[in-house]
Structure formats: C-alpha cells, structure tokens
C-alpha cells in the first residue's frame, strides 16, 4: 500500500522564480491538502483540493496556486518566490474531505 | 479562530519511563477532532493518535494515550515505556467538525528527547 509521495525532496530557487511541487496521494485517497512548515514551527494550511477543485484556502496570497488531476495527484505552484517562502512543504491526503489526513515526507524549498 | 498551544518547547525522558506532553486549544465549537502527530528527523509527519470531541473515552494506541479534558480544552499525550525511536517533534492539531472547514491547526510542537 503506497503512502503519500512528494517530489522533489529538495529544491533551491532564487527570488522571483516560480516553482512547482508534486504530490501523489495514498492509494484510495481522493483529497489532497497542502501545508507550509517554516523552520521551528508547526505546519500552516495552504489549501485543499477535492474533485479537482480548490475547496478551502488558508491565509496565503494568490502567488500560491494549485491543481488536482483526475488521478487525484496534485501540484502546488508558487510564483514570484520570496525569501520567506523557504520552508518544508507538506502534502497530506485523505479519503474525502472529512477523514484523517496522512502526510508525505515533504519538499524542502530554499529560496536564495 | 481556533488556536492550539503547546507550552513545552522541549521535553526529555529516560528510556522505559513515562512522559506527558501538553496541549491546550481555544475554540467555541462543540464538534471537533484532535490529533497528535509525530515528526522524526526524516520529516514525515506520522499520525500517533486521534480523538473525537464527542467521545468521552480517552483514545489509546498501544503505548500512547491521551487525557482529553473537554471543559478545560486540554489534550495531553502520554507516552509509556518510552523508546529511543520515540524521539521526535510532536505536534498537537485541531480540526473543526464543520463540514466546510477541513484545515488542521497545529501547535508549535514539542521536541522530545529520549535518553538511553
């Protein structure tokens, strides 16, 4: 039973660039949520995708956008990168929106 | 807005001993869910235990148990017979019971060290 997978594991970008992070949910799950975890802090909710639509969004600017594909995998896109976007980006999947979320290993993004 | 507070940035326990990690939360809702997640150095957030607010019985998973005090808005995690593999960051999280509110609110975490 494959768990949640994310790619890449690490990424280095410069300010102003754009980045795309990818997530494949746990087998059988149809909902994907994205979180940003700054160093030394707990994760913060970015948004949730279900049935290929953004269902809920946290307090993040429009520079953060996403997509969910028919196979339930998801992408997180961040435009015009800022130094403050450096963080661990976690993807979590669940069966339906209301069920327990299971996390992937994360993508560590460093913005220089 | 719901907030989660973990007042212990760091805790230490001797191997085979018991340790309790504290968590308090603030909410005006009556229906919600509480979680403890473990994040080892590998970074992967692992679900430890889950508690539904409508259940009075405290959740238990092997060596992990919670003390859920709804009136006090407290949700502590007890780890019995601590093992070296328990060393990690532990995060307490809250999720609303409202259908349209599915995000989880996390505390700042407690770093647990297990001494051999």
């Amino acid at each position: 039973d494959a768990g949640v997978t994310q790619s890449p594991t690490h990424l280095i970008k410069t300010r102003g660039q754009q980045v795309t992070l990818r997530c494949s949910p746990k087998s059988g799950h149809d909902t994907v949520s994205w979180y940003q975890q700054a160093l030394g802090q707990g994760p913060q909710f970015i948004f949730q995708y279900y049935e290929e639509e953004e269902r809920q969004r946290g307090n993040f600017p429009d520079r953060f956008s996403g997509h969910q594909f028919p196979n339930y995998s998801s992408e997180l896109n961040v435009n015009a990168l800022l130094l403050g976007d450096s963080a661990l980006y976690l993807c979590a999947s669940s069966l339906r929106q209301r069920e327990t979320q299971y996390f992937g290993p994360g993508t560590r993004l460093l913005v220089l | 807005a719901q907030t989660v507070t973990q007042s212990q940035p760091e805790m230490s326990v001797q191997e085979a001993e018991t340790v309790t990690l504290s968590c308090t939360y603030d909410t005006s809702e009556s229906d919600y869910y509480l979680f403890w997640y473990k994040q080892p150095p590998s970074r992967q957030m692992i679900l430890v235990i889950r508690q539904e607010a409508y259940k009075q019985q405290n959740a238990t998973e092997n060596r992990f148990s919670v003390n859920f005090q709804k009136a006090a808005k407290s949700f502590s995690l007890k780890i019995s017979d601590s093992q070296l593999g328990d060393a990690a960051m532990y995060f307490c999280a809250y999720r609303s019971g409202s259908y349209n509110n599915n995000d989880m609110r996390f505390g700042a975490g407690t770093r647990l060290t297990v001494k051999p």
Side-chain angles (χ1 to χ4, degrees):
Chain A
D1 181 17
V4 181
T5 60
Q6 293 186 243
S7 64
T9 56
H10 295 83
L11 206 50
I12 300 175
K13 292 286 188 179
T14 56
R15 282 177 297 176
Q17 285 189 312
Q18 178 264 343
V19 68
T20 298
L21 310 181
R22 295 176 176 81
C23 172
S24 291
K26 183 178 168 68
S27 179
H29 285 184
D30 57 8
T31 301
V32 173
S33 302
W34 286 92
Y35 293 81
Q36 180 194 66
Q37 186 179 16
L39 198 61
Q41 298 182 21
Q44 286 196 309
F45 176 75
I46 302 174
F47 42 52
Q48 184 181 76
Y49 276 84
Y50 172 66
E51 293 186 335
E52 302 180 48
E53 290 188 16
E54 183 183 295
R55 299 293 179 168
Q56 187 180 351
R57 188 180 185 90
N59 189 24
F60 278 80
D62 292 345
R63 297 187 297 109
F64 290 77
S65 63
H67 189 77
Q68 186 179 34
F69 299 93
N71 67 352
Y72 308 122
S73 67
S74 177
E75 289 181 349
L76 164 65
N77 300 292
V78 187
N79 294 321
L81 284 167
L82 304 174
L83 296 180
D85 295 332
S86 295
L88 179 66
Y89 288 85
L90 296 166
C91 166
S93 75
S94 57
L95 175 60
R96 305 288 186 263
Q97 296 169 273
R98 304 297 302 147
E99 297 302 318
T100 298
Q101 296 180 15
Y102 293 87
F103 285 81
T107 294
R108 174 75 67 190
L109 172 65
L110 177 62
V111 182
L112 301 177
Chain B
Q2 299 86 10
T3 58
V4 178
T5 302
Q6 293 180 251
S7 59
Q8 305 155 317
E10 296 185 359
M11 290 286 285
S12 179
V13 63
Q14 205 72 32
E15 194 176 6
E17 297 294 313
T18 295
V19 65
T20 299
L21 308 184
S22 301
C23 172
T24 58
Y25 56 94
D26 184 25
T27 184
S28 59
E29 299 179 323
S30 58
D31 182 22
Y32 51 87
Y33 301 83
L34 297 166
F35 305 83
W36 279 99
Y37 281 89
K38 166 186 176 182
Q39 188 177 42
S42 66
R43 307 179 324 202
Q44 183 133 17
M45 197 83 74
I46 301 165
L47 177 66
V48 175
I49 202 163
R50 158 187 163 135
Q51 174 81 43
E52 291 88 345
Y54 64 84
K55 289 186 177 179
Q56 292 187 338
Q57 186 172 5
N58 290 325
T60 299
E61 287 287 344
N62 301 314
R63 298 182 295 106
F64 299 87
S65 61
V66 297
N67 183 5
F68 173 46
Q69 300 290 327
K70 192 171 184 178
K73 297 180 183 176
S74 170
F75 183 61
S76 60
L77 174 70
K78 186 172 82 170
I79 306 174
S80 303
D81 185 26
S82 296
Q83 300 175 0
L84 295 178
D86 295 333
M89 284 291 291
Y90 285 80
F91 291 95
C92 177
Y94 170 102
R95 199 195 78 201
S96 168
S98 169
Y99 181 80
N100 293 321
N101 198 354
N102 301 312
D103 66 303
M104 286 202 294
R105 308 292 176 96
F106 286 83
T110 295
R111 181 175 301 281
L112 178 65
T113 302
V114 181
K115 297 179 179 178

